Amino acid sequence: MSHLHSDDIEKRAGVLHPTKQVDTSSGAESHDEGETVPMTKLQRALLKLKVETRGIERVPDDERTDTSYLNIGSMWVAANMVVPSFTIGALGKPLYGIGFVDSVLVIIFFNLMGSATVCFFSMFGAAFGLRQMTLSRFWFGWWGVKIIAIFNILASVGWAAANIIVGAQLIHAVNNDVPGFAGILIIAFCTLLVVFFGYKVVHAYEYWSWMPTFVVFLIVLGVFAHSGDFVNTPMHSGKRELGAILSYGSTVFGFGTGYTPFAADYTVYQPSNRPRRNVFFATWLGIYPTLLFTEILGAAVMTATALNGGDNAYQRGYEDSGIGGLLGAVLFDRLGGFGKFCVIILAFSIIANNCPNIYSVSLTLMVLGRWTRHVPRFLWSALATGVYIAIAIPGYSHFETALENFMNLIAYWLAIYEGIVLSDHFIFKRGFSGYHPENYEDRTKQPLGIAALLAFCFGVMGMVLGMSQSWWEGPIAKHAGTPPFGGDVGFECAFAFASVSYIIMRTIELKYAGR
């Protein structure tokens, strides 16, 4: 294909610079270094099984055959039409002591912010055919992105562990004889089976998997509404309420924005001439309404634990089996065996939630060094699965606290990432026309990354000053609420510190380094 020199990014974005293409007729692979090596028997077998063998190499135009906007939207509907989303909504009352209306307002506002970045970065995959962490080289440089990749790996594996604990709780609620670790293993291996085959199978699974889950959530809504057990827990006011709202908002934001560091991974096979706004809104329609539905439903059901001063089946179920027990209190007595079947369906919704984490963590590992590319993508997925199983099993008994802390940490680090990237995109690159995606393997044409890494450190400083956790309360957080924990403004401070410091230091870096 001829090289295009036009500044029209919609044309330049799809220019083919082959990096690793499999020639099935000759039995050889062409790598970005230009050498030709024989295909292994394993690679031939994988091709016959339609397993995706592409790693982080740029997807050329002639392979971008995913023309469905429904594939984009359904991907995010399935990933969020899950019990962990319901759980995030339910946390407002037990962890932060806020009322139902307060919870709903937090869910609406903070999800609007959190989901926007996922939608924004989804546009990059279609425009450039590059995975999110590979794209990050244009902001953090060849070496700096490796540090970002490590953060992404830790976040993805940790998030998968938190999610799978919810599924195990549901299985345990249905049958108390099934230990938590057994439920974790079942869901983890089912997830691995889906991500093993790669992009197309992940999209195909997500396209359909949300439907039975949605039906079950509608059943939960109908049964709970008919029960009359909803309690309009009152709103509060004052500084204590401010701290609780900010802290819960950090948790909600962390969940909503959690897919940001691999958003582009799921649009790389979309044609490069797709209108970017269409990709944005297809993603938004998949994420935002789904989060509102599941989280508000969770907040509503959790209000029933206030019945009779807390002496009720909902509270007992929650104390015994967490979210699984809460859902069991809604469904088991009223629907019997069918109610238990519904809860099992919800347990397996975790597969759709964890597929993006485990698929993308394998691609992120390939950014760490050329040596990581010699390991097939599916083997990295298997390794990540083993790691999050090892985390989830001992964490099973401390789920709520672990989930709160982890969602906050995701919010912190992604706020730093977003502060740097958005500043660079709008101020220095001035939109999509400022990128040269063909240079994704040329470190000499990428930023040094010094400004980004220093800004990242300043973002961490902001995070420390604003965060409010059981093990640390920053000085800014102390003034955002009442003792002992104040209010969590960690992600807001992290974003502000990272963005402002990056603008200053990137200006200096460009002046003296020129790139």
Side-chain angles (χ1 to χ4, degrees):
M1 182 181 292
S2 62
H3 186 79
L4 303 180
H5 294 282
S6 170
D7 286 334
D8 183 354
I9 197 63
E10 297 291 5
K11 297 177 181 178
R12 190 178 63 207
V15 176
L16 172 59
H17 291 269
T19 54
K20 183 179 180 182
Q21 289 198 273
V22 178
D23 182 352
T24 55
S25 61
S26 63
E29 286 185 358
S30 174
H31 293 258
D32 50 341
E33 290 81 9
E35 78 273 18
T36 301
V37 296
M39 290 178 63
T40 64
K41 292 182 179 179
L42 175 61
Q43 289 169 321
R44 292 182 184 278
L46 293 176
L47 287 172
K48 290 180 180 178
L49 291 172
K50 305 299 183 182
V51 175
E52 181 189 21
T53 57
R54 180 178 297 279
I56 60 171
E57 300 82 15
R58 190 178 182 197
V59 181
D61 265 354
D62 59 358
E63 292 184 29
R64 299 198 203 178
T65 56
D66 184 1
T67 59
S68 172
Y69 287 116
L70 281 176
N71 274 350
I72 300 175
S74 63
M75 171 76 200
W76 300 114
V77 171
N80 292 284
M81 186 70 70
V82 291
V83 178
S85 303
F86 178 93
T87 304
I88 293 295
L91 291 180
K93 178 182 177 295
L95 287 186
Y96 304 100
I98 61 177
F100 175 70
V101 175
D102 315 44
S103 295
V104 171
L105 292 174
V106 169
I107 288 166
I108 292 172
F109 178 70
F110 283 90
N111 273 317
L112 188 62
M113 289 195 299
S115 61
T117 54
V118 184
C119 303
F120 178 74
F121 288 112
S122 292
M123 297 189 296
F124 283 77
F128 301 136
L130 290 171
R131 314 285 186 167
Q132 186 74 40
M133 284 295 108
T134 309
L135 280 166
S136 297
R137 291 172 176 169
F138 294 110
W139 305 306
F140 292 89
W142 181 270
W143 299 106
V145 77
K146 300 179 190 299
I147 297 174
I148 302 304
I150 292 172
F151 274 92
N152 193 33
I153 291 166
L154 295 174
S156 298
V157 170
W159 194 6
N163 290 338
I164 204 170
I165 290 173
V166 185
Q169 284 182 343
L170 296 179
I171 294 174
H172 180 72
V174 172
N175 187 343
N176 291 332
D177 293 330
V178 179
F181 75 85
I184 289 170
L185 290 173
I186 292 169
I187 297 171
F189 285 120
C190 289
T191 304
L192 180 60
L193 183 63
V194 176
V195 301
F196 176 88
F197 291 94
Y199 178 96
K200 291 184 178 179
V201 174
V202 170
H203 268 280
Y205 179 82
E206 306 277 317
Y207 190 90
W208 300 104
S209 66
W210 66 272
M211 297 180 185
T213 309
F214 179 54
V215 171
V216 172
F217 275 132
L218 288 178
I219 292 171
V220 172
L221 174 61
V223 172
F224 183 70
H226 188 263
S227 72
D229 290 338
F230 170 77
V231 178
N232 188 10
T233 48
M235 294 179 66
H236 302 286
S237 60
K239 200 171 182 180
R240 178 190 174 280
E241 175 76 352
L242 172 64
I245 292 295
L246 289 171
S247 297
Y248 182 44
S250 180
T251 302
V252 172
F253 175 82
F255 192 88
T257 201
Y259 291 113
T260 294
F262 35 83
D265 295 357
Y266 299 97
T267 54
V268 292
Y269 286 94
Q270 289 279 326
S272 60
N273 59 359
R274 274 282 155 97
R276 291 192 291 271
R277 64 180 177 275
N278 291 1
V279 175
F280 182 99
F281 283 111
T283 307
W284 187 84
L285 288 172
I287 295 179
Y288 187 62
T290 308
L291 287 174
L292 294 190
F293 171 70
T294 52
E295 291 180 8
I296 292 174
L297 178 60
V301 173
M302 182 57 79
T303 65
T305 59
L307 287 169
N308 196 28
D311 183 15
N312 56 74
Y314 297 96
Q315 183 64 35
R316 287 191 292 272
Y318 183 67
E319 290 174 353
D320 291 342
S321 301
I323 291 299
L326 181 68
L327 286 165
V330 177
L331 299 175
F332 291 172
D333 289 341
R334 297 178 177 93
L335 300 182
F338 180 70
K340 293 183 177 181
F341 172 75
C342 289
V343 171
I344 291 296
I345 294 294
L346 292 179
F348 282 94
S349 73
I350 305 299
I351 298 171
N353 196 207
N354 272 356
C355 278
N357 291 305
I358 302 308
Y359 174 72
S360 289
V361 77
S362 63
L363 299 169
T364 303
L365 281 159
M366 293 182 177
V367 177
L368 294 179
R370 293 189 184 276
W371 64 273
T372 59
R373 301 192 201 179
H374 296 299
V375 179
R377 177 196 55 76
F378 66 89
L379 287 182
W380 284 128
S381 295
L383 176 63
T385 299
V387 172
Y388 82 78
I389 288 173
I391 295 172
I393 291 175
Y396 179 82
S397 302
H398 310 283
F399 168 67
E400 283 79 8
T401 302
L403 180 63
E404 175 206 4
N405 291 335
F406 193 74
M407 284 300 111
N408 286 334
L409 289 173
I410 287 181
Y412 300 152
W413 103 260
L414 285 182
I416 298 172
Y417 178 87
E418 291 159 6
I420 293 170
V421 173
L422 294 177
S423 297
D424 187 86
H425 177 81
F426 289 107
I427 296 176
F428 295 101
K429 290 189 172 60
R430 300 189 179 185
F432 285 82
S433 61
Y435 294 86
H436 296 273
E438 63 273 12
N439 296 331
Y440 80 97
E441 283 285 286
D442 188 348
R443 69 187 71 180
T444 65
K445 295 182 180 179
Q446 297 167 10
L448 290 178
I450 297 173
L453 291 180
L454 288 175
F456 195 93
C457 293
F458 275 97
V460 172
M461 182 189 302
M463 174 195 80
V464 172
L465 292 173
M467 68 188 294
S468 175
Q469 298 292 315
S470 57
W471 42 273
W472 172 258
E473 183 185 7
I476 298 178
K478 291 179 180 179
H479 297 285
T482 56
F485 299 117
D488 196 317
V489 289
F491 87 82
E492 295 94 334
C493 290
F495 182 94
F497 277 56
S499 179
V500 173
S501 61
Y502 180 77
I503 293 170
I504 296 170
M505 287 182 284
R506 181 59 176 155
T507 302
I508 297 171
E509 185 178 55
L510 283 172
K511 180 179 180 180
Y512 290 100
R515 61 183 177 95

